[in-house]
Amino acid sequence: VSKAVKYLQENHIPVYRFPESAAKAFGALYRYSHFVNRPHLAQFTFKHDRAGAREIVQEAIENGETYIGEIRGTKILSCYGFSVNPTKLTTTAEEAADFAEHIDYPVVMKIVSPQIIHKSDGGGVIVGLVSRDQVIEAYDKIIKNAQAFKPDVDIKGVLVQKLAPKGNEVILGMTRYPIFGPLLMFGTGGVFVEVFKDVSFRLAPVTRNGAHKMVNSVKGYRLLNGYRGSSKADLLAIERMLVALSDLAMDIPEIKELDINPLFVHPKGKGATVADCRFILDGHTAGSVDMRKAPSQSSLNSWCL
C-alpha cells in the first residue's frame, strides 16, 4: 500500500486516509469553482467631490478636532453621492421654527453636543414635528433633557432636519486598522444594531460584487428583499452607498472611524437617505499607504523595521 500511495503522490494524485477527508476536499473544490465562475456585476460610475470632502476633514484636523458630527458629516457624505436632507444648527427656538417652516414639515430635532454622541440618550431627539408651536416647545424640551442628562453638558445648539421618508433602517460603518486598512460594516440599523448584531464585514476597497455579498449575507436581508408581502427595499442603492463609502475610506485616511446609522432605505427605485452620522478623525494617519496600490519595496522594508 505504501508503494502505491507513494506512486500516486509522485504523480500529483491526492491520497486520503479517510473518505471524510476526500469529501471535504471535493467540497472545497466546489466552493472554489463557484467563486471563480461567479457573475461579475457591472461597476458603478461615480463623480465624487474628493476635494470638497478633504477640505472639511483637513479643516477639522487643523483645528485640533477629532470628532465630526452630523452637520459637517452629511456634507462629507453628500460629496460622495449620499442623499441627505436639509439640515441646520439652530441656537434659539425661534431660529429653529423659522428653518422648519422654510424646509416644510415634518421635521426632526436633535441635540448637538460633543458630550452626547448617542443623541437618543436622555431625550435628545424628537421626531415628527409638524407645526411652529411644536418646534418651539421641542427646542426647550431638548435643551432641558440634555441638561438633566449631563449637568455640565456643552450644548452647541439644536439641529433641525427635514424628516426622512420611512424606510428600512440599516447601518453602514468603517473602522481603520493599522495593517489591514479600512474595514467596512453593513447590517441591521437603528437601535437594533447593538441588540441583534446582525452585521457583515469586508476590507476596502469594495467592488459592487463585494457590496452585493455584504448585503446578502445578513439575516435582515429577508426583510429588505420583501418579507411576507412587504415592499422590496432599494438594494441597488445600498450596494452603491457601500462602494461609495469604500471610496471615501480609501481617499481620506485621516478618517479613523465612521458610522451612518440609520440609513433609511426606501422602496425599490427610490434610493436611501442618511438620517444620522458621525466621524472620528486621526491626523496621524495622513501619511498612510494607499492599500489600493502595491507598496514599494522601500515601504515594505520600513514596515519590517
Side-chain angles (χ1 to χ4, degrees):
V1 175
S2 59
K3 289 183 179 180
V5 169
K6 184 178 180 181
Y7 176 81
L8 291 172
Q9 290 176 337
E10 287 175 349
N11 288 275
H12 308 290
I13 299 174
V15 178
Y16 301 95
R17 296 183 62 185
F18 302 102
E20 293 82 0
S21 300
K24 289 181 180 178
F26 277 115
L29 284 171
Y30 171 78
R31 291 191 295 273
Y32 175 74
S33 174
H34 189 268
F35 173 78
V36 169
N37 296 296
R38 71 194 186 280
H40 290 274
L41 301 172
Q43 297 303 314
F44 295 115
T45 301
F46 296 105
K47 291 184 179 179
H48 301 316
D49 181 9
R50 292 179 171 86
R54 173 162 288 283
E55 182 179 353
I56 297 171
V57 172
Q58 193 60 41
E59 181 180 357
I61 291 175
E62 290 175 356
N63 292 333
E65 300 177 67
T66 59
Y67 174 79
I68 289 180
E70 186 173 356
I71 299 172
R72 289 177 296 172
T74 53
K75 292 181 180 178
I76 295 173
L77 293 176
S78 66
C79 291
Y80 277 76
F82 285 80
S83 176
V84 299
N85 281 332
T87 303
K88 183 179 180 180
L89 175 65
T90 62
T91 55
T92 67
E94 290 296 327
E95 183 184 9
D98 290 342
F99 182 70
E101 291 185 338
H102 174 70
I103 61 176
D104 202 6
Y105 301 102
V107 299
V108 56
M109 298 177 66
K110 311 173 188 180
I111 190 68
V112 178
S113 169
Q115 283 96 14
I116 304 178
I117 304 300
H118 299 288
K119 303 178 184 69
S120 57
D121 294 345
V125 178
I126 300 179
V127 302
L129 303 169
V130 295
S131 71
R132 185 180 185 90
D133 290 341
Q134 286 185 0
V135 169
I136 292 174
E137 182 181 349
Y139 186 98
D140 296 332
K141 184 176 181 180
I142 288 173
I143 296 294
K144 290 178 181 178
N145 288 344
Q147 292 170 338
F149 182 66
K150 284 185 179 291
D152 60 342
V153 66
D154 177 18
I155 298 175
K156 302 299 183 183
V158 175
L159 183 145
V160 181
Q161 184 180 68
K162 177 73 174 178
L163 188 64
K166 290 184 179 180
N168 295 85
E169 295 185 22
V170 301
I171 181 173
L172 277 62
M174 185 279 293
T175 299
R176 191 178 302 276
Y177 287 88
I179 301 299
F180 300 107
L183 179 69
L184 300 190
M185 176 187 69
F186 167 78
T188 304
V191 297
F192 301 110
V193 63
E194 296 178 3
V195 177
F196 298 126
K197 295 181 173 60
D198 180 27
V199 294
S200 61
F201 298 92
R202 207 171 194 92
L203 286 171
V206 168
T207 63
R208 184 178 171 187
N209 268 63
H212 183 78
K213 183 68 174 178
M214 288 182 72
V215 175
N216 288 3
S217 62
V218 299
K219 295 178 180 177
Y221 171 75
R222 295 176 64 191
L223 297 174
L224 296 171
N225 199 37
Y227 184 70
R228 290 194 174 181
S230 61
S231 300
K232 285 188 177 183
D234 198 334
L235 300 176
L236 189 65
I238 302 177
E239 295 174 10
R240 188 178 181 87
M241 296 300 96
L242 280 169
V243 177
L245 183 65
S246 172
D247 290 347
L248 172 60
M250 300 302 296
D251 290 340
I252 308 181
E254 295 88 350
I255 300 175
K256 183 179 179 182
E257 298 177 18
L258 73 87
D259 66 59
I260 303 167
N261 185 32
L263 175 73
F264 283 110
V265 186
H266 311 305
K268 185 176 180 179
K270 296 187 177 181
T273 306
V274 175
D276 201 355
C277 64
R278 68 182 184 94
F279 290 69
I280 304 297
L281 306 180
D282 182 1
H284 298 295
T285 60
S288 297
V289 175
D290 187 340
M291 300 293 286
R292 292 172 296 185
K293 302 175 182 176
S296 64
Q297 187 60 50
S298 59
S299 298
L300 291 172
N301 291 338
S302 67
W303 294 346
C304 297
L305 295 177

